[in-house]
Amino acid sequence: MIGVFDSGSGGLTVLKEVRVRLPKADILYFGDIKNAPYGTKTHNELVRLTKDAVELLQSMGAHHIVSACNSVSAALALSSPLPHLTEMTEPTAASFRGTPARIVLTATPATIDSQIYQRAFHEIDKEIATVAIPELAGAIEFGSSDAEIERIIRDAFATVDLSRYDTLILGCTHYPLVEYVFKYIFKYVPIEIIDPAVAVAKRVEERLAQSEEGGGTTRFLISRESALFRDRVAHLWSHVGTPRIEVIE
Ligand code: DGL
């Protein structure tokens, strides 16, 4: 079984891509909504939350973990040794190897302050610009209006000269949930918006396509009740009926 986790709904954007590539895999998803947002937490807090999430998924039978949360990528190495793990940043950077892309990456403060993306891109001889947005993941998780989301994004990019870039990476898995707002704001800017979920899901497929032949079940755990999370899952899974979502303490 594959275990996927995030602070809440953001990882659903990764789960969706993994599901398309591995239709027969059994997947257990954990959204730690009680502790969301992760992106403004300290490194030590993220190490603890990461360890708890990974242990929870492993205790329920997951033997490969997909960390569908950029904010914890720097914490993963320190939480527990995990040979069977796929995280967001390295596959994303690797997908740009050898390309001429001029990249600006937007993510939570935890992700950007950890320098993990900057280092991953440096490894492939690329320097990137970054834009941290402290409020955005929480606003998405807890259902702020599109107008409020638009204000937050516009404020964050107010002083960024986008003419210097041709690629905008959404380096927080919550952000693709409002990709339409990014597209609306940047509709006259010649910049390609990239959702790293695609590169990460490809990596998961490469690693697990041979071994993950199950019943294709998807089960969800959340650490706090959330009608919005249920709506998002129902929307994603509308073609296969209502999946099971359990609230755990
Ligand atoms: N979706 C996660 C990420 O990619 C966490 C966002 C948050 O909870 O702040 O960073």
Side-chain angles (χ1 to χ4, degrees), residues 10-159:
L12 295 174
T13 59
V14 179
L15 173 65
K16 187 174 111 215
E17 295 294 330
V18 172
R19 173 49 80 211
V20 169
R21 286 175 169 77
L22 295 175
K24 292 191 183 149
D26 291 316
I27 303 181
L28 175 62
Y29 183 96
F30 174 52
D32 191 9
I33 301 171
K34 185 175 75 181
N35 293 301
Y38 276 8
T40 46
K41 296 213 172 344
T42 65
H43 181 72
N44 285 348
E45 286 172 317
L46 290 174
V47 170
R48 182 179 58 78
L49 292 169
T50 303
K51 188 166 175 291
D52 290 351
V54 168
E55 282 175 7
L56 171 73
L57 290 168
Q58 287 176 328
S59 74
M60 301 192 71
H63 51 79
H64 187 95
I65 305 292
V66 178
S67 144
C69 175
N70 298 271
S71 300
V72 304
S73 281
L76 282 163
L78 299 171
S79 58
S80 48
L82 284 171
H84 302 294
L85 176 119
T86 305
E87 59 79 51
M88 300 293 300
T89 64
E90 191 277 327
T92 303
S95 71
F96 284 93
R97 190 187 298 276
T99 73
R102 292 174 294 128
I103 297 170
V104 56
L105 178 139
T106 182
T108 67
T111 298
I112 290 177
D113 292 349
S114 76
Q115 299 279 317
I116 190 153
Y117 265 114
Q118 294 91 321
R119 277 202 295 271
F121 276 98
H122 192 74
E123 288 286 308
I124 60 158
D125 295 326
K126 267 196 182 301
E127 302 309 318
I128 58 168
T130 56
V131 178
I133 319 185
E135 301 163 78
L136 187 55
I140 295 167
E141 185 62 42
F142 297 111
S144 292
S145 66
D146 283 355
E148 177 63 2
I149 302 280
E150 184 184 337
R151 183 200 63 75
I152 293 170
I153 298 170
R154 281 193 191 278
D155 283 358
F157 280 85
T159 58

Side-chain angles (χ1 to χ4, degrees), residues 190-211:
I191 200 160
E192 189 181 4
I193 298 178
I194 300 289
D195 176 359
V198 177
V200 172
K202 267 190 199 155
R203 177 66 62 82
V204 174
E205 181 184 20
E206 282 158 17
R207 295 183 75 177
L208 302 181
Q210 304 304 320
S211 56

